[in-house]
Amino acid sequence: MPGQQAQNPNEIANPQTGQLPQVKGPEMNDRDFLNDGLATCKLLTDNFNVAVREASHEQLHTDMLQILTETHQSARDLFNLMFQNGWYKLEAEEQQKLQQAQQQFSGYSSQFPYQ
C-alpha cells in the first residue's frame, strides 16, 4: 500500500491509541508528557541508586531506598501505560543471538571463586 512503512516482524507493540498530530508543533501531547515523565524517572533512579549506595546515615539510606523503589515503580507504570497505548515499541531479538549470548555468559560461571 502506498505511503505505509514495511512492518518489522520482530516489533512488539500495541496499536497506537488516541489522535496524535501528523505534524507536531511545540505543544506537548499525552505521549510527550508520558515520555518526559519516564525519562525523568530513569534519570532519578540512576541518581538515587548512587545516593542510596553511598549514604552513611542509616535512616537516610532507608528513606532514599524507599524513594528509589517508588521511583522504579513509577517508571514501570509509565512504561506500561505507554506500551499499552502503542507509544513504546520493543524489538524481539533473534533466537540464535539469544542462544549465543547465553552460551557466552554461562561459560563465565566457571571463573566464579565459589561454585
Side-chain angles (χ1 to χ4, degrees):
M1 287 182 205
Q4 284 191 337
Q5 295 177 345
Q7 187 70 7
N8 179 348
N10 291 335
E11 186 175 89
I12 301 169
N14 289 311
Q16 283 194 20
T17 60
Q19 295 296 317
L20 296 175
Q22 294 297 323
V23 178
K24 179 124 174 41
E27 64 282 344
M28 291 179 70
N29 57 37
D30 289 345
R31 180 180 63 180
D32 295 331
F33 281 111
L34 291 175
N35 194 46
D36 185 59
L38 180 57
T40 299
C41 284
K42 287 178 177 181
L43 179 65
L44 286 170
T45 55
D46 289 347
N47 290 307
F48 268 117
N49 188 56
V50 173
V52 168
R53 185 178 59 239
E54 295 184 3
S56 60
H57 187 274
E58 189 61 37
Q59 188 58 53
L60 179 61
H61 175 269
T62 301
D63 290 346
M64 286 195 304
L65 184 58
Q66 179 63 36
I67 294 168
L68 174 63
T69 301
E70 291 172 3
T71 306
H72 270 292
Q73 187 59 56
S74 293
R76 184 66 185 174
D77 293 344
L78 288 167
F79 162 78
N80 285 334
L81 186 56
M82 290 186 72
F83 186 76
Q84 182 179 6
N85 284 300
W87 299 334
Y88 202 111
K89 297 176 182 177
L90 305 171
E91 189 170 328
E93 188 57 86
E94 296 173 15
Q95 187 64 34
Q96 181 181 2
K97 287 184 180 180
L98 292 173
Q99 289 172 337
Q100 287 172 345
Q102 191 273 334
Q103 288 173 349
Q104 176 187 352
F105 290 106
S106 66
Y108 293 164
S109 64
S110 65
Q111 299 174 21
F112 294 162
Y114 305 104
Q115 296 296 326

